Amino acid sequence: MITELLTDLAAEGADLDRTVSTLDDIGLRAPTPAPGWTIAHQVAHLAWTDRVALLAVTDADGFQAEVNAAMADPTGFVDTVAAAGAAAPPAALLADWRGGRADLVGALRAVPPGTKLPWFGPPMSAASMATARLMETWAHGQDVADALGIARVPTARLRHVAHIGVRTVGFAYTVHGRAVPAPFRVELTGPGGECWTWGPDDATDRITGPALDFCLLVTQRRHPDDLNLTVVGEDAEAWVPIAQAFAGLPGAGRKAGQFA
């Protein structure tokens, strides 16, 4: 499983790299839907997170120092780090991101089975770390695509993004101070027409629809009103507006009709 995950993680990064590598300095300064963030900010954030993930695998003390810095400024740290990275010359920024991606894949490949890695939330396995990095790469890649006005071709790698979206249902409730409900049934149609399912067959709360729409929901890249998802049940309906596959504070998401 970890081999497939790491192959997909590398492929997701390479897909985004093919897009941003064609941009000059002006192109990298194009604004994205994330307020105050350019394409360079998006790449810089991914580069920083990959490097911190590498620390979680290889240097526990170095990782804890990053956690301490983030805790000292919980609402501004991510923006500050992204801005610092975005200020680098384009060649240096892209080289840093590429190197960090490759180093992380190699380090995760060597993690012994059963090892739990520290993170900003609960500790996670190497497989969970790889899934989280793929999810975030895909999500920020969507911001870049939206900034450039291009449509990406969905791939089977969306299953990893959907999986972490399902796994974080309880987390989304918790960060909003709500009781975690019973598991939902999630039934999604993948890009090739395949059916992906999670949760009990007999669950009363259900979410069905295209995998792409579900992934856009859980990464907060589209407003729920703009997605073709069928949601049944009180708990599922309450979750949709707060769905959050990423760690940290709840995000502002996107506005209804923003990408019409």
Side-chain angles (χ1 to χ4, degrees), residues 223-247:
H223 190 277
D225 290 353
D226 296 334
L227 299 172
N228 186 27
L229 296 171
T230 300
V231 183
V232 177
E234 259 184 48
D235 290 331
E237 289 176 353
W239 170 75
V240 164
I242 63 171
Q244 176 180 335
F246 50 88

Side-chain angles (χ1 to χ4, degrees), residues 174-194:
T174 299
V175 296
H176 284 270
R178 304 182 189 180
V180 177
F184 307 154
R185 176 69 172 179
V186 177
E187 299 180 354
L188 305 176
T189 303
E194 59 273 59

Side-chain angles (χ1 to χ4, degrees), residues 12 23 39 71 85 90-91 98-99 108 112 122 133 142 146 150 156 166 169 173 182 234:
E12 196 64 45
L23 303 176
I39 291 175
M71 293 298 292
R98 289 167 183 149
L108 288 173
R133 297 308 312 127
Q142 185 62 48
D146 288 333
I150 60 178
V166 173
V169 168
Y173 271 89
E234 259 184 48

